[in-house]
Each structure stands twice: as structure tokens, then as C-alpha cells.
DNA sequence: TTGCTCAGCTTGTTGGTACAAGCTGATAGG
DNA sequence: CCTATCAGCTTGTACCAACAAGCTGAGCAA
């Protein structure tokens, strides 16, 4: 006898019905009250089952509205083209990609100087606590928060390239600006991790329960040392990262 | 007045105490009963707060034992070196990496033939439902489930390379075997996504609540068409993926 | 010493109640 | 006609109670 707790049975039944399309993406689930009668269970038990599905990222709940099946459209982000080594364009790639997808980009921007955290200092190969310039970007697509991007530059680099520390945008892109100052990025090292959002991240990206974030850390190198460290935080449900390696003429292009 | 619900206050206080090291990784939290008295709240309210932290991936709970602060050691997986185009080694890379990290690798393996799912068929550029060979690998590190890897080969390729469909291991590695049959992988396209595990994935990887999975889809290409599609599923809390792009002689190597 | 049982701790499950808070559509009032 | 209010739906928060199930160590028995 495979006796599962009642709240798990509730979750299993509803999950299967969602998978089978009985409740399509965007559709509303029956109310807790209805489900109580259907499954002959208390409201707490039903809520336990539903909260399981919420934490799986399958449904969302909103007070006064009910439970809704999530629909997932993902945004493809090309990490190798995002910042082409031969044609650096930096932040522009985001606006271009989003516009090409028929969506409306929007971003806020700020610059500050602060001591580098341990993680950042390690990657920039400077002592922990050393001052670094942070250029921070909060990005939206169609007014939905999409990602945050924090780029740190070591102080030795800022002395040689003062515009990095100025609050304004850098028209030609930072990578190109640095190249014009004789500092060329010749390679980068990417790290990708996934975890549940901190409350701070959940707030900035307006993430509900059951949605992980992806952390994309890119450390850029000149010929002799690291010159920047960019940490991008995405909503995991709305983004997918792509890398193109080697010869891919056989792939063609999607739409 | 910033009035937060009591269960959130509980979670916030405990989260801060965990961040500050008052409860170190691996340490046990006070019991629900103790916390009831400390916060003057009912057991359900305490449980709500704790379950928030569980779904954030900060702590785990086990019946009879209590709540424990999670410790996170991550395993670095080098995606560019994992399968070097010039020195293909395929599955061996995993065993080598794990052994080098001083851990003990272990894997189970199976081969089957089945109709390709829509996602796989799209990537292999064959009609959906076409037969494909699946080589499936379930990997452990120190007897802890670590990842599952499913590689699909299109049937036209299997006809030219029959050993792909045989259940046994391919000693020299599949990429090298294919090269010996005149089919060379000259490039690949990687897609990385993160989401909460399905119950099936949670079972295979023994994932508790609050831990996302990373999905790594690698499509390999010969000069004129896709030759394979590998879908790897990781525990998000134990793995980090790395890409090395361009010239990185300045990076050196960690330890 | 060794091995077993069990009391007493822990969290897990399920039931109940009550009120707060958010949303929507009907309806009364201008 | 337009607008404001409110009844009646939804989920959110908070409490209580009881028993099930898993783990550990004390202490008894061989």
C-alpha cells in the first residue's frame, strides 16, 4: 500500500491535470473552498497541497483572485554574442536583443564606489575591501523587472579610465571605451549558478515563490590581469542562456 | 509603521542570525517549541516562518531531527573543457574532474531507443516522434546523486555508427568513436536554464525543497547537421558551470 | 561488554475556527 | 449616464488541538 499524505495526493492530482492541459496556462484553479469539497479535506490540507505546487513554480496565488497556472515564455540570451570580442558593444546588446524580440526595453542606472566584497575581490585579484567602482543596471522588459547587472572595476583601472567612475552613461560602451584607453579585453571567464532568491533579489525582480534566480558572473581579462567582474541576476523562469562554441554554420538561425 | 506578518518577522530574524553566523552551516536551529516561546507565537506561525527559510534553500528540516542550516560547497564544472573539440573525451571528463577534486565518482548507465520528444527533435532537426537512441547516465559523487545526463542521437547517425545503440560503454568515448566513423563534431550550442525540479527529478537527485535544478542542453554539430543533443540535469546548490572564452592566460588557475 | 527496548524529544499531518485583506460586479445614489 | 459603495467572493494570517512518525540516548537485560 503506497499511502501518501493527503496533501500530496491533492498536489499530484492537480499537477497531472495541469500537465494534461485540463487547466491551461493562465487558467484559474478552483477555489480552496471548491477543492475542500472535491477532495473531502480541510482547508489547511488543501492549502498545503497548493503551496507545494506554488513552490514548484507551477502556479501562483494572489489574494482576492485565486490560484493561476503559470505560463512560461522564455527570453533567449546569447552569452557569446552578448559581448563580442571583436565587435564590443556591451550594454547595447541588451536593448538590441529585446527590441528585436518585439519587446520594449527600459533600464535604470547608477554608479558608486565601494569596497569590493570577498567574491569580487578574488576575481579581480585585488585585496578584499579594496575600493572598486560599481556600475549597476536594473533592467526591465515591457515594464517587468528582468535582471540586475552589477559590474565592478578595480580602482587601478579607474585611475587610467576616469569616465568609468562618472555617473553618466558611456555612449560607445565601456568595453570600447577601455579599448580606446589601451586596455583591451581579450577573454572572459563565465560562471553560472542557480539558487533561490534572497528577499532583496525577490524584491528587485518581483519574484514570487517557486522561482529561482540564475547568477551569471563574467570576469573579463586583459592580456595580463582581470579588468572587470560583472554579476548578472536573472529570473530563472523568464531567461535562458546560450553559448555558441566552435563552428555552427550547420545550425541556421531560429526565426 | 512597517507592519509585517508575524511569520515573516520570525523568518527575517532567523535569516539574519544565520547570515551573521549565530547559526553556522551545519548547526541545528532551536526546536519549534523553543521558537514558539521565544517569539510568543503559535506553532503554525513558527512553522510558516521556518518553511519560508526552507523554500529559500537556507535550511532543511528532517522529522525527528530538527532544522539544520545548509552548508553549500559547490562543484565547479568546466563546460568548455568538459568536452574539448580538439581532444574529445566525453564522459571521462566527469570521472576525471570528480577524482581530481578528491571525491569518489560512481555512475549507472543505460541505453534505449525511443521516439524523440518535441524539444529534442527540434534540436536534432528531425520530425517529432522519430526514433532516437538515448544514452542515459545517472551520476553520483561520494554516493550522493549529482546529475543525470541524457544524450540523444538521431537514427540516421545510429545506422552509420551502430555501437551507439549497443548497451555497453564505449571505451574511447562517443565523440571519438563518431570521429572514427567519419563524423566529426565541429561545434556545439549550449542552453542553460534553471527551474524548480519536477517530482521525478527531485526523486532521482534526492533534492529537498528550496533547491532548483540547472538544465544544460548541449547540441553538437558536424559541419552540415546536428549529430546529438545532451540534456544534463544538476542540483543547483551543488554545481556551478564555467565557460572559458578567448585568451585567459592572465587568469592562472585556482589551487 | 553488548544489544535491545522504550521514553521523550523532534517534525509531519490533519482537523478545526476566526478574522483580515484584496478583488469584482451589482446596485444605489448622484 | 456616471460614480461610489458594498456584498460576497477570493486568499492571507493566526490561533488551537491531536495524533503520527522519525530519531536519540538512557537504561535495562543478556
Amino acid at each position: 500500500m503506497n499511502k501518501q499524505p493527503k496533501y500530496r495526493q491533492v498536489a499530484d492530482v492537480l499537477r497531472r491535470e495541469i500537465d494534461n492541459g485540463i487547466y491551461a496556462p493562465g487558467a484559474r484553479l478552483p477555489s480552496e473552498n471548491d477543492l475542500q469539497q472535491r477532495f473531502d479535506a480541510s482547508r489547511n490540507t488543501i492549502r498545503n497541497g497548493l503551496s507545494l505546487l506554488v513552490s514548484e513554480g507551477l502556479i501562483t496565488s494572489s489574494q482576492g483572485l485565486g490560484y493561476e497556472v503559470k505560463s512560461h515564455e522564455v527570453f533567449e540570451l546569447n552569452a557569446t554574442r552578448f559581448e563580442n570580442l571583436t565587435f564590443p558593444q556591451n550594454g547595447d546588446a541588451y536593448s538590441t536583443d529585446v527590441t528585436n524580440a518585439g519587446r520594449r526595453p527600459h533600464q535604470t542606472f547608477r554608479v558608486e564606489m565601494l569596497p569590493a566584497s570577498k567574491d569580487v575581490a578574488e576575481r579581480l585579484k585585488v585585496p578584499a575591501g579594496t575600493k572598486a567602482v560599481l556600475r549597476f543596471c536594473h533592467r526591465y522588459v515591457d515594464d517587468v523587472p528582468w535582471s540586475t547587472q552589477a559590474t565592478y572595476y578595480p580602482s587601478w583601472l579607474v585611475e587610467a579610465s576616469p569616465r568609468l567612475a562618472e555617473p553618466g552613461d558611456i555612449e560607445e560602451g565601456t568595453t570600447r571605451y577601455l579599448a580606446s584607453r589601451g586596455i583591451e579585453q581579450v577573454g572572459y571567464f563565465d560562471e553560472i549558478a542557480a539558487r533561490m532568491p534572497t528577499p532583496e533579489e525577490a524584491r528587485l525582480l518581483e519574484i514570487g515563490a517557486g522561482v529561482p534566480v540564475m547568477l551569471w558572473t563574467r570576469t573579463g581579462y586583459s592580456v595580463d590581469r582581470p579588468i572587470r567582474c560583472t554579476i548578472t541576476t536573472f529570473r530563472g523562469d523568464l531567461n535562458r542562456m546560450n553559448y555558441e562554441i566552435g563552428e555552427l554554420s550547420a545550425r541556421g538561425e531560429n526565426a
Side-chain angles (χ1 to χ4, degrees), chain A:
Chain A
M1 177 77 84
N2 178 7
K3 176 62 178 161
Q4 281 241 312
K6 201 185 268 189
Y7 77 99
R8 276 186 191 280
Q9 294 177 30
V10 170
D12 288 343
V13 168
L14 292 175
R15 190 188 301 110
R16 192 159 11 132
E17 295 186 344
I18 290 170
D19 286 343
N20 292 348
I22 296 179
Y23 301 110
R28 254 193 58 192
L29 255 51
S31 74
E32 292 176 352
N33 211 307
D34 293 344
L35 293 173
Q36 270 186 69
Q37 299 181 17
R38 171 171 173 195
F39 289 103
D40 187 31
S42 75
R43 192 177 162 214
N44 278 340
T45 302
I46 297 294
R47 281 178 68 81
N48 275 343
L50 288 169
S51 74
L52 244 186
L53 298 182
V54 168
S55 71
E56 287 173 16
L58 227 66
I59 63 177
T60 60
S61 72
S62 17
Q63 194 169 351
L65 273 174
Y67 292 83
E68 191 170 297
V69 180
K70 278 213 288 197
S71 60
H72 35 276
E73 50 170 335
V74 297
F75 184 76
E76 303 274 344
L77 180 66
N78 191 305
T80 32
R81 229 178 318 174
F82 183 77
E83 177 182 23
N84 195 304
L85 288 177
T86 43
F87 302 105
Q89 47 181 1
N90 211 12
D92 298 333
Y94 152 80
S95 303
T96 312
D97 278 7
V98 171
T99 308
N100 284 347
R103 316 291 287 274
R104 195 162 40 76
H106 166 61
Q107 51 184 309
T108 67
F109 183 71
R110 82 167 193 271
V111 175
E112 62 186 288
M113 177 161 279
L114 75 182
S117 69
K118 184 172 144 288
D119 284 343
V120 170
E122 235 168 52
R123 286 171 178 76
L124 290 179
K125 293 195 181 166
V126 297
T130 310
K131 289 277 181 188
V133 164
L134 163 63
R135 298 177 71 87
F136 185 86
C137 211
H138 193 179
R139 292 178 170 154
Y140 301 75
V141 173
D142 291 344
D143 293 323
V144 176
W146 213 263
S147 67
T148 67
Q149 188 175 72
T151 302
Y152 297 85
Y153 297 92
S155 50
W156 65 262
L157 180 64
V158 178
E159 283 161 26
S161 322
R163 277 177 63 200
L164 284 181
E166 288 166 18
D169 210 19
I170 296 184
E171 280 298 329
E172 69 270 33
T174 49
T175 315
R176 198 168 293 181
Y177 166 62
L178 285 175
S180 76
R181 310 288 297 187
I183 295 168
E184 200 183 353
Q185 176 174 302
V186 295
Y188 48 81
F189 182 73
D190 279 11
E191 298 162 80
I192 303 167
R195 57 165 168 72
M196 298 315 283
T198 65
E200 172 71 3
E201 289 165 347
R203 192 179 58 76
L204 282 175
L205 297 175
E206 287 174 23
I207 291 182
V211 177
V213 293
M214 289 179 70
L215 294 180
W216 175 27
T217 305
R218 168 165 290 186
T219 310
Y221 289 83
S222 72
V223 283
D224 52 0
R225 49 182 167 174
I227 54 176
R228 68 182 182 91
C229 177
T230 302
I231 302 175
T232 309
T233 310
F234 301 107
R235 292 182 55 150
D237 58 342
L238 299 177
N239 291 280
R240 190 161 58 202
M241 292 190 57
N242 299 337
Y243 282 84
E244 295 170 342
I245 313 275
E247 174 57 46
L248 283 176
S249 55
R251 198 172 89 85
E253 206 46 61
N254 327 19

